[in-house]
Amino acid sequence: MAEHAAVVGIGQTKYDAKRLDVSQPGLVREAAIRALEDAGLEWKDIDAVVIGKAPDMFEGVMMPELFLAEALGGVGKPMLRVHTAGSVGGSTAIVAASLVQAGIHERVLTVSYEKQSESNAMWALSIKMPFAVAMVAGAGGFFAPLIRGYMQRSGAPEDTGIRVALKDRQNALKNQYAHLQMPDISFDMIANSPMLWDPIRYLETCPSSDGACAMVIADAKHTKASGRPAAWIHATNMKTEPTLFAGRDQVMPQAGLDCSAELYKKAGIQNPRAEIDCAEIYVPFSWFEPMWMENLHFAPINEGWKMTYEGATAIDGDMPVNMSGGVLSSNAIGASGMIRFAEAAMQVRGQAGEHQIEGAKKALGHAYGGGSQYFSMWIVGDQPL
Amino acid sequence: MSDPSAVGEPQLTAAHTLEYAYKRSLGPVLSRFFTGLRDKRIQGVKTGAGQVLVPPAEYDPATGEATTDEFVDVGPGGVVTSWAWVANPRAKHPLDHPFAFALVQLDGADTSLLHVVDTGDESSMSTGMRVKAKWADETIGQIQDIASFVPEEAS
């Protein structure tokens, strides 16, 4: 990577079930304005706009990036859209960063969003196709067997997922933007919630949210001149694999294992658990925390659950995960990956407020999408690498 | 390419209909515009530079800045700035007889609105002709509250 790049501005909307008070342009604008304000910049300072969201079918607007140009100050500038399913928020940030790292642009605005109140994402993901078995299962139905597979392999205690959900829902209470705020959340409440897709309980799943997240990514010159805290991008990485093929390990995808190993190598990290201060990872169903702890090489294979169980991933643990409340607490699908990346950046910028990890210097942002087949990740630090 | 019929295997197809119900949140600017139509008012919004956009937009396409809070009544008369004649309307077209899709710049507006001009025949259409809004019998807050634009002298 030729040029250093850093996150110098971050903006989020409040995540909510129904933002009926704003249009889609109004929603993305809200996050973008906050990112510009945080960066101390104006529209004219931005060289290019990179936008991401999940499938067009979710809102029923084909190529929505085209009608969002003026809302994002994109008129007369390069504007492009990224799409990699649920990981899109992460890969969008990476594309934006690459434009700066390549020396093509100096300051890039990147935004991702979903307005689930205008759609029904669950069933848009479960299309009954001719000649195919109609599962009509939704995302949970797809991932439940993978979770069951993990439980069988690892011998993890049955309540591991409940513990993850309790932690993330308690963390969400410290995040003003989190969609689900459940002050009276308890282990029993989660354990007794309806079984949606065995073994996934209702309170172990993510909500459907409206929301947008935005970041301004700048080169070293502008970052230093801004005089504001920066999240320097140490490394980014993406990997892809097919949805289905014989021999594919869907529980522990090779693409994720390789993606994170390469990421750490690029960032000069030998021991991720010791060297990374905290992580925001894509956990739409509680059990994906222990699964991804292994996939991200924080724990040996089949031992990720121990990190959850021993409290390592708690906000006061040695490897805090999803301090913001995570995807379990806010899921504006297209934005969810970028929220992870932005929350990691907020930690090293020291701007995470009540869910700040004191002295965080190095953080991981992670997203995955499709049938656990697209991965995007970055490492950010409070200093340039 | 091998000929599929040569091996006697039919190549299969099947119909696939995909349908979803969606919802739209208009936001404050277009909500005001459509609510105005219900009351038989056509409103534009002023940009920071003083241009009047009709239909109104939340953000000025020229600058990316938010448009102002100032709404102004425009029309109901205006000028056809461009048009295309539809000689043989199909079932889903807005009128059941020949008409023009046209850009109409309403009096007081700096931009043109895409709508329908109903003149009866193509020979009476011209760029620069004056038209005025003809309201639907029932107005409910949608663009079809303007049933069509008709030649001004005819009304």
Side-chain angles (χ1 to χ4, degrees):
Chain A
M1 122 186 15
E3 306 283 338
H4 280 302
V7 179
V8 295
I10 296 170
Q12 298 184 64
T13 64
K14 170 84 170 85
Y15 304 105
D16 203 349
K18 294 182 197 304
R19 283 295 308 273
L20 302 183
D21 60 317
V22 288
S23 61
Q24 287 178 48
L27 186 72
V28 294
R29 177 82 169 194
E30 203 172 293
I33 287 268
R34 288 175 183 170
L36 283 181
E37 282 172 358
D38 187 30
L41 298 177
E42 297 175 24
W43 292 109
K44 65 175 172 54
D45 301 321
I46 298 298
D47 302 321
V49 181
V50 183
I51 181 168
K53 75 172 294 300
D56 291 353
M57 210 186 289
F58 283 5
E59 286 87 1
V61 178
M62 292 301 293
M63 299 180 282
E65 63 280 8
L66 301 180
F67 95 119
L68 295 172
E70 52 265 58
L72 293 174
V75 176
K77 297 172 185 175
M79 183 162 178
L80 62 100
R81 187 257 184 101
V82 179
H83 182 210
T84 59
S87 70
V88 66
S91 33
T92 304
I94 291 175
V95 170
S98 69
L99 293 173
V100 176
Q101 290 163 335
I104 296 169
H105 296 300
E106 297 180 356
R107 287 177 291 202
V108 176
L109 172 68
T110 185
V111 186
S112 58
Y113 79 102
E114 210 69 58
K115 202 159 189 296
Q116 291 211 57
S117 66
E118 304 208 350
S119 66
N120 189 329
M122 174 68 75
W123 304 125
L125 285 170
S126 295
I127 300 165
K128 182 185 182 300
M129 296 293 282
F131 306 117
V133 176
M135 294 201 294
V136 195
F142 185 91
F143 290 116
L146 308 190
I147 291 171
R148 182 63 76 191
Y150 175 74
M151 293 166 81
Q152 285 170 351
R153 285 184 196 186
S154 66
E158 294 255 337
D159 65 356
T160 303
I162 299 171
R163 288 167 183 257
V164 173
L166 179 62
K167 167 186 72 83
D168 284 3
R169 303 211 178 290
Q170 285 172 336
N171 286 351
L173 298 173
K174 301 175 190 293
N175 176 7
Q176 59 174 321
Y177 297 114
H179 172 177
L180 292 183
Q181 304 269 359
M182 309 174 76
D184 55 348
I185 192 70
S186 68
F187 183 96
D188 288 344
M189 196 191 300
I190 298 165
N192 295 328
S193 65
M195 192 63 86
L196 274 191
W197 300 277
D198 193 2
I200 308 172
R201 292 171 183 80
Y202 178 67
L203 286 176
E204 293 179 87
T205 68
C206 53
S208 292
S209 312
D210 285 358
C213 179
M215 292 189 282
V216 177
I217 297 176
D219 62 9
K221 177 184 71 179
H222 288 291
T223 299
K224 285 171 183 157
S226 75
R228 289 162 193 261
W232 294 91
I233 298 163
H234 288 190
T236 68
N237 210 23
M238 293 186 272
K239 281 259 189 272
T240 306
E241 67 184 37
T243 314
L244 301 164
F245 67 86
R248 174 176 180 234
D249 188 345
Q250 299 185 59
V251 176
M252 196 54 53
Q254 192 64 41
L257 290 164
D258 292 348
C259 189
S260 52
E262 274 181 19
L263 179 81
Y264 301 144
K265 198 174 175 196
K266 287 184 191 178
I269 291 171
Q270 270 98 45
N271 181 341
R273 185 161 172 182
E275 295 174 54
I276 295 171
D277 296 311
C278 55
E280 283 279 341
I281 69 172
Y282 206 104
V283 177
F285 305 101
S286 60
W287 278 90
F288 273 88
E289 175 175 294
M291 290 160 73
W292 292 151
M293 285 297 97
E294 298 170 22
N295 204 244
L296 288 163
H297 308 284
F298 287 117
I301 296 297
N302 293 332
E303 293 184 23
W305 61 270
K306 291 180 184 172
M307 291 183 68
T308 301
Y309 225 78
E310 291 161 1
T313 58
I315 199 159
D316 58 356
D318 75 274
M319 185 59 238
V321 171
N322 293 337
M323 301 68 70
S324 67
V327 181
L328 279 185
S329 304
S330 314
N331 189 28
I333 302 174
S336 288
M338 188 170 286
I339 300 168
R340 311 279 69 75
F341 279 46
E343 285 282 348
M346 286 164 64
Q347 289 290 340
V348 300
R349 294 178 86 207
Q351 66 170 164
E354 277 187 72
H355 62 284
Q356 176 70 43
I357 301 300
E358 209 56 50
K361 294 187 184 323
K362 207 170 275 190
L364 167 72
H366 158 278
Y368 85 99
S372 293
Q373 69 196 103
Y374 307 116
F375 293 87
S376 55
M377 309 169 183
W378 78 6
I379 300 279
V380 285
D382 68 334
Q383 300 294 327
L385 187 62
Chain B
M1 290 283 287
S2 61
D3 177 1
S5 61
V7 292
E9 296 287 345
Q11 302 296 296
L12 303 183
T13 62
H16 179 222
T17 303
L18 187 60
E19 228 172 19
Y20 289 107
Y22 291 104
K23 182 187 286 186
R24 284 290 171 266
S25 301
L26 283 180
V29 173
L30 284 171
S31 290
R32 181 164 170 165
F33 174 70
F34 285 108
T35 303
L37 292 181
R38 187 194 63 194
D39 303 332
K40 300 188 179 178
R41 290 174 67 189
I42 309 174
Q43 298 170 95
V45 71
K46 276 198 174 174
T47 68
Q51 268 208 322
V52 177
L53 308 181
V54 181
E58 293 183 82
Y59 311 104
D60 183 350
T63 63
E65 297 298 331
T67 48
T68 69
D69 296 332
E70 196 181 340
F71 285 77
V72 292
D73 286 309
V74 297
V79 174
V80 171
T81 58
S82 188
W83 55 280
W85 190 250
V86 181
N88 297 298
R90 311 285 294 243
K92 289 188 174 176
H93 273 126
L95 299 181
D96 60 6
H97 53 271
F99 67 96
F101 279 119
L103 289 172
V104 176
Q105 187 171 353
L106 290 152
D107 296 339
D110 292 299
T111 59
S112 298
L113 174 76
L114 175 64
H115 216 286
V116 166
V117 174
D118 186 7
T119 61
D121 64 278
E122 187 175 3
S123 63
S124 47
M125 283 299 305
S126 62
T127 298
M129 72 183 287
R130 289 209 43 94
V131 292
K132 69 175 286 189
K134 179 184 161 193
W135 295 99
D137 293 338
E138 190 189 5
T139 55
I140 59 171
Q142 59 177 7
I143 197 66
Q144 292 88 350
D145 288 352
I146 302 173
S148 64
F149 284 87
V150 295
E152 201 167 52
E153 66 270 22
S155 56

